[in-house]
Amino acid sequence: AGKKVFFVTNNSTKSRKGYKAKFDSLGLNVNPEEIFSSSFAAAAYLEQTSFKETGKKVYIVGERGIQEELDLIGVPWIGGENDKSQTIELKPGYALPHDEDVGAVIVGFDRNVNYYKIQYAQLCINENPGCQFIATNLDAVTHLTDAQEWAGNGAMAGAIKGCTGKEPLVVGKPSPLMIDYISSKFAIDKSKICMVGDRLDTDIVFGNSNGCQSVLTLSGVTTEEKYKGQDSIVADYYCDSIA
């Protein structure tokens, strides 16, 4: 009783509005301000750094979630789902034109990533002075189906890192941005926050490295065998399930 619950996810394909609709469909009464996705984190970072005031725009490698969050704060963007069918015809003398007003590239999980998006992103980062490279997360794999692991946003961000030689600013877990935002906005001491999750390298590191308590639930991607087979990441507690 008296505890407040926040939902923190590295999945950037949905905005808070999108996750709210999902919670509603499950019969769960969750307020939008209790939902923290990495798409929101990217927008929050731009808002905190007064990006809108620069007059620049964002190029998105990602899906609808990032687009909707940028729309909410009035930051113009290009790319994203609009470029999912773009192709490049390589021929002698051809140079892909890019928008010199792009001041940030945000890379989120993108099921329609293609060579056009990668090339456009690297042109913005490499050729536009001061252009920021922002990644929603660096998750190596994700779980799109229950049958196998699928390449995560680490693959998309890694492609951009590979052709720019630059490290991205990461706004999702385990970066402190979301926990700092929650602590500040709701006046909660970080030591009073308990992070519950099923991934060691994001959820538990997120809690441990940001002054929170951590609970690993074994109902997701981390089995007890996997957890006990390593000792580099240790949760304060672990349990079979939180159900």
Side-chain angles (χ1 to χ4, degrees), residues 42-51 58 70 73 75 104 106 134:
Y45 168 75
L46 293 182
E47 195 165 38
Q48 289 171 355
T49 56
S50 302
F51 180 85
V58 171
L70 294 186
I73 62 171
V75 168
I106 297 178
I134 301 167

Side-chain angles (χ1 to χ4, degrees), residues 193-195 204 207-208 212-216 227 234-238:
I193 297 174
C194 182
M195 177 63 199
I204 303 308
N208 290 351
C212 308
Q213 297 182 70
S214 60
V215 175
L216 174 70
Y227 177 55
V234 180
D236 291 313
Y237 309 95
Y238 72 92

Side-chain angles (χ1 to χ4, degrees), residues 149-170:
E149 292 184 329
W150 298 79
N153 192 50
M156 291 80 186
I160 309 303
K161 175 183 173 181
C163 56
T164 62
K166 297 181 180 179
E167 292 286 342
L169 171 74
V170 181

